[in-house]
Amino acid sequence: MSRFNLKNILIVDAVTCVGLFLLGVFATAAVASILGLPSEVVTVAGWIGLPSALLMLFTAMQKPPSRTLANLIAVGNLGWVAASFAVLAMFAGQMTWAGIVVVAAQAVVVLDLAFLEARGAAALPRAVTI
């Protein structure tokens, strides 16, 4: 069995979202300083991580995972990628080099997760409708 199945990808994604939540909410000032972002941006990003993680874990624990929810998560990740590049466009002038690298790198990782989740969702059996 492949380690890169939809369930495992969703769990990895959820763990990263929990990390985002913990850093964004409980270490706001430090993260904002390191990245060169306003603390409000860091806090909002952190709070987005918590419900995202819960949805990912809920979907990962279903047998089989919901194709619709997996696709919703993938689309949400694409929205996160777009928002990350919007943050870069809006705040690049005040961001640190570390901040620019971190925001761009996490956007690429999230894009990869979105691709893997969409691919995993496509491999799920279609729901039977009567």
Side-chain angles (χ1 to χ4, degrees):
M1 178 191 244
S2 171
R3 284 193 256 162
F4 297 106
N5 62 33
L6 179 58
K7 177 181 178 174
N8 291 341
I9 296 300
L10 289 168
I11 291 170
V12 167
D13 202 354
V15 168
T16 64
C17 287
V18 169
L20 173 73
F21 167 71
L22 293 173
L23 288 172
V25 173
F26 296 108
T28 306
V31 172
S33 176
I34 291 167
L35 301 180
L37 285 171
S39 60
E40 297 82 9
V41 172
V42 174
T43 301
V44 168
W47 279 110
I48 290 170
L50 184 60
S52 300
L54 293 174
L55 178 61
M56 291 165 188
L57 289 174
F58 174 77
T59 305
M61 296 306 137
Q62 294 177 324
K63 293 185 192 272
S66 165
R67 182 183 199 130
T68 301
L69 290 177
N71 280 320
L72 176 66
I73 292 165
V75 169
N77 277 341
L78 293 177
W80 182 268
V81 171
S84 297
F85 286 110
V87 164
L88 285 172
M90 290 170 35
F91 298 106
Q94 73 184 52
M95 291 176 72
T96 64
W97 280 106
I100 292 169
V101 169
V102 166
V103 171
Q106 65 80 34
V108 170
V109 169
V110 172
L111 181 62
D112 189 42
L113 288 169
F115 171 75
L116 292 170
E117 289 158 349
R119 195 168 83 181
L124 290 171
R126 292 200 180 268
V128 177
T129 56
I130 298 176

